[in-house]
Amino acid sequence: MKSDSIKKGFEKSPHRSLLRALGLDEKQMKKPFIGVVNMFNEIVPGHIGLKDIVNEVKNGILQNGGKPFEFPTIAVCDGLAMNHEGMRYSLPSRELIADSVEIMAKAHALDGLVFVPNCDKTVPAVLMAAARLNIPSIVVSGGPMLAGRNKKTKTDLTTVFQGVGEYKLGKIDEAQLLKLEECSCPTFGSCSGMFTANSMNCMCEALGMALPFNGTLPAVYSSRKVLARRTGEVIVDLVKEDIKPRDIMTKDAFYNALRVDMALGCSTNTVLHLTAIANEAEVDFNLDFIDEISKSTPNLCRLSPASNEYHIEDLHEDGGISSVLNELSKKDLIKKDVLTVYKKIGDRLVEKSGFNVIRDIENPYSKEGGIKVLKGNLALQGAVVKKSAVDSKMFKVKVKARVFECEEDAFEAILANDIKVGEGIVIIYEGPKGGPGMREMLSPTAALSGMNLDDKIPLITDGRFSGGTRGAAIGHVSPEAYEGGVIGLVKDGDMIEIDMDEGRLHLDVTDEELEKRRKNSFKKEVKVDGYLKKYSKLVSSSSKGAIFE
């Protein structure tokens, strides 16, 4: 065991002395040392309930003969960080979390790790750390919140963001907006739709790094405590059997995860995060691979924001990820022999319960997956769109560009009714380096939705979008403006062609004109300090997962 390096042999007597200061005795020192990464804090709604989950994990570890050691790390709530400078810190927090876990695990010679995350960047961060460290690891999240209700209508966080646009348009009054605010997030947990946090928690199952129902079991259900306790038991078995993350997160595991991703219609952020996780696992993974899988995977689910009818709790009632995997397996779209933290993936398949949240494989919403990769002169390295949340009449359009150098300016123009049908919003200098931080843009897309413009006006950016976004929101345009990407050369009035069926994103400007503009262009420098300054220097393109290089 790795922990022998701090507890075995006469020369480790000083180390054992320090362990005794923690209250350990000889018997406990012989047990596997299991780190429990507790991401609890009192400001992130998805993490406020994690103490109970962590306690049950530790109970499970103790019951199966391990010694748990709890330690913390940070977490950012993307909803609270949205639409102000705080959003610049959301994606960068992913790297900081992964690094902090690495430091704790290496410095203290831990034999295994249980990760207890829940919200957007915390889940991919711990998967990155697991792949990097490659010691036995497992994930159990805090679970999704329940959907809200406004009379007979289901609501969630995106409903409130859209309410801002509706209020501006005069469709609802201040009292109605307040009602949405009060009812839409009724419990703690990750936000209730197929947004980024829940997308990634589902990916934990599909990758094989979590037990069944980790991605869908609601936070407030008592059975999540049972899941946590069982997770604690399983990590001790993984340590004894020496089953490591890279034994599980293989190329075939990523293949399965992408299949599930496309079937569910997950957040576009899964593209960014799966790419980064694969990099840590030393698995070959790129946008072309993603697009290949998308083209041959039917979209079986439409959960919020793609539908107002279904939320994560409904997916859970219909059998969860195990049932999605099972439906895909009926067309041989799943590699069943892939190892997981518990059984092979093929041994975890179950029939759906008949709630009609998961469509039959013979009757999908569409024959292609929920996420589409676009390429063209405007995105030479690629861009992504959540096609399952786009109105079909926006699949193929040609629009006149309206260019903004930051999210705030575009948001103001939307609320001022300054964007007209036939125009397309282009927001530049919001990429990983140019932002820096690659901010999510739920406020402008939700405002468009609330003003009934999400099926008429596309938004294109080198930044990214919340999993709660719906409409023709094309993000991750790469290369970004800051690194000389063509998106930084777009001018007001330029025509942009979007073809989501063919995967095309084209700026109708000649190469000669673009070269002329490039010679006369000036890079916009954003003055930042502290962590963002370091981040901007180290971070790569979004097409590579915005990893540190």
Side-chain angles (χ1 to χ4, degrees):
M1 292 191 293
K2 284 187 176 295
S3 59
D4 286 348
S5 61
I6 62 170
K7 64 186 184 185
K8 198 169 185 179
F10 74 91
E11 70 276 15
K12 301 301 179 182
S13 184
H15 302 69
R16 290 194 297 274
S17 181
L18 289 168
L19 292 173
R20 291 181 190 279
L22 299 175
L24 273 66
D25 57 22
E26 294 287 344
K27 188 175 181 180
Q28 287 179 309
M29 287 190 207
K30 292 177 181 177
K31 296 178 178 181
F33 281 9
I34 311 295
V36 181
V37 186
N38 184 0
M39 308 186 84
F40 163 83
N41 64 51
E42 293 183 340
I43 196 167
V44 179
H47 288 229
I48 192 72
L50 295 187
K51 281 184 177 179
D52 287 342
I53 302 299
V54 166
N55 286 338
E56 292 300 340
V57 167
K58 292 194 290 186
N59 285 337
I61 293 169
L62 290 168
Q63 285 173 188
N64 203 23
K67 174 66 181 101
F69 292 93
E70 177 186 336
F71 63 89
T73 187
I74 64 168
V76 170
C77 173
D78 277 29
L80 291 174
M82 196 73 66
N83 199 224
H84 63 93
E85 71 167 352
M87 183 45 71
R88 298 194 190 283
Y89 289 86
S90 173
L91 184 58
S93 74
R94 188 188 70 179
E95 315 309 309
L96 194 57
I97 293 165
D99 291 349
S100 67
V101 171
E102 176 191 353
I103 289 169
M104 288 296 291
K106 289 283 191 180
H108 302 105
L110 297 174
D111 298 309
L113 289 166
V114 180
F115 298 101
V116 188
N118 210 23
C119 289
D120 291 27
K121 306 308 167 297
T122 64
V123 185
V126 300
L127 289 171
M128 289 168 66
R132 184 189 303 175
L133 289 162
N134 203 33
I135 61 173
S137 301
I138 190 170
V139 178
V140 58
S141 75
M145 68 172 66
L146 298 178
R149 281 198 178 273
N150 185 14
K151 296 180 181 178
K152 293 183 178 181
T153 304
K154 281 188 175 182
T155 61
D156 54 42
L157 181 65
T158 60
T159 314
V160 192
F161 274 100
Q162 290 160 16
V164 174
E166 292 174 345
Y167 174 76
K168 178 65 179 178
L169 200 60
K171 291 171 63 178
I172 61 174
D173 59 25
E174 191 171 349
Q176 290 170 305
L177 182 59
L178 177 61
K179 177 62 177 173
L180 287 177
E181 178 185 323
E182 291 174 338
C183 73
S184 294
C185 297
T187 73
F188 60 84
S190 51
C191 295
S192 57
M194 188 53 78
F195 313 146
T196 303
N198 292 326
S199 295
M200 289 308 304
N201 281 322
C202 291
M203 290 300 99
C204 288
E205 283 190 57
L207 279 170
M209 287 297 294
L211 296 179
F213 301 115
N214 173 74
T216 59
L217 183 60
V220 293
Y221 285 13
S222 296
S223 47
R224 184 155 283 275
K225 293 181 181 179
V226 179
L227 177 67
R229 192 162 59 251
R230 179 68 183 131
T231 299
E233 294 172 351
V234 169
I235 187 59
V236 179
D237 293 335
L238 291 172
V239 171
K240 290 176 181 176
E241 296 167 22
D242 197 30
I243 297 174
K244 301 183 180 73
R246 293 189 195 177
D247 300 326
I248 295 168
M249 289 193 282
T250 61
K251 181 81 170 186
D252 284 349
F254 280 93
Y255 170 95
N256 285 342
L258 277 177
R259 291 291 190 194
V260 173
D261 187 342
M262 300 305 166
L264 290 173
C266 288
S267 162
T268 52
N269 283 317
T270 58
V271 172
L272 196 70
H273 298 321
L274 286 175
T275 304
I277 297 161
N279 175 72
E280 296 286 2
E282 298 183 359
V283 169
D284 182 31
F285 190 91
N286 54 42
L287 289 179
D288 291 334
F289 179 52
I290 294 167
D291 200 40
E292 177 188 336
I293 297 296
S294 179
K295 287 176 181 176
S296 58
T297 308
N299 180 219
L300 303 179
C301 300
R302 291 279 168 95
L303 281 70
S304 177
S307 163
N308 292 324
E309 185 177 2
Y310 296 128
H311 289 75
I312 298 296
E313 64 201 68
D314 303 303
L315 176 61
H316 182 69
E317 293 301 324
D318 207 14
I321 303 308
S322 294
S323 294
V324 175
L325 285 161
N326 184 61
E327 206 60 34
L328 290 168
S329 72
K330 294 175 182 179
K331 289 282 189 180
D332 294 323
L333 297 178
I334 291 297
K335 297 183 185 290
K336 296 182 182 180
D337 287 335
V338 174
L339 185 68
T340 80
V341 290
Y342 176 70
K343 298 183 176 180
K344 290 184 177 180
I345 204 80
D347 297 325
R348 292 167 57 157
L349 308 183
V350 297
E351 285 290 340
K352 52 196 177 76
S353 303
F355 284 84
N356 299 318
V357 181
I358 306 165
R359 281 200 171 183
D360 293 342
I361 193 77
E362 301 290 351
N363 182 36
Y365 285 101
S366 65
K367 293 181 180 179
E368 291 191 3
I371 293 174
K372 184 68 178 177
V373 175
L374 308 179
K375 287 191 175 181
N377 68 344
L378 192 52
L380 294 173
Q381 295 173 0
V384 293
V385 62
K386 187 172 182 174
K387 189 180 177 184
S388 60
V390 180
D391 190 285
S392 59
K393 64 175 173 282
M394 294 297 290
F395 287 176
K396 189 171 184 176
V397 294
K398 200 166 186 178
V399 294
K400 188 181 292 186
R402 287 290 306 279
V403 184
F404 300 90
E405 289 197 352
C406 66
E407 175 194 0
E408 289 83 356
D409 289 350
F411 185 53
E412 284 182 20
I414 294 167
L415 292 183
N417 293 308
D418 191 33
I419 310 295
K420 309 302 180 187
V421 175
E423 294 180 328
I425 300 166
V426 179
I427 306 177
I428 61 177
Y429 288 107
E430 290 287 7
K433 282 184 175 292
M438 202 180 183
R439 293 192 290 177
E440 285 185 346
M441 300 186 191
L442 181 56
S443 291
T445 56
L448 286 172
S449 180
M451 297 169 75
N452 293 330
L453 295 172
D454 60 304
D455 61 348
K456 302 174 183 68
I457 296 173
L459 199 161
I460 304 165
T461 180
D462 51 8
R464 60 195 178 92
F465 295 105
S466 163
T469 289
R470 71 168 176 237
I474 300 167
H476 305 202
V477 173
S478 186
E480 62 176 287
Y482 185 84
E483 292 197 296
V486 171
I487 190 172
L489 304 177
V490 180
K491 291 186 176 181
D492 283 347
D494 287 347
M495 298 305 296
I496 297 174
E497 180 188 346
I498 301 167
D499 190 331
M500 295 185 193
D501 291 325
E502 296 297 323
R504 179 174 164 83
L505 185 62
H506 179 75
L507 178 67
D508 194 9
V509 173
T510 66
D511 291 343
E512 292 78 13
E513 174 61 21
L514 288 176
E515 188 57 35
K516 189 187 300 181
R517 291 182 188 182
R518 193 179 301 279
K519 288 178 181 177
N520 295 319
S521 65
F522 297 92
K523 183 186 287 188
K524 177 187 173 185
E525 295 287 351
V526 180
K527 196 171 184 179
V528 291
D529 53 21
Y531 184 58
L532 287 182
K533 188 174 182 179
K534 300 173 189 175
Y535 182 83
S536 182
K537 289 180 179 179
L538 294 172
V539 71
S540 73
S541 162
S542 59
S543 65
K544 296 180 180 179
I547 57 174
F548 278 177
E549 289 187 325

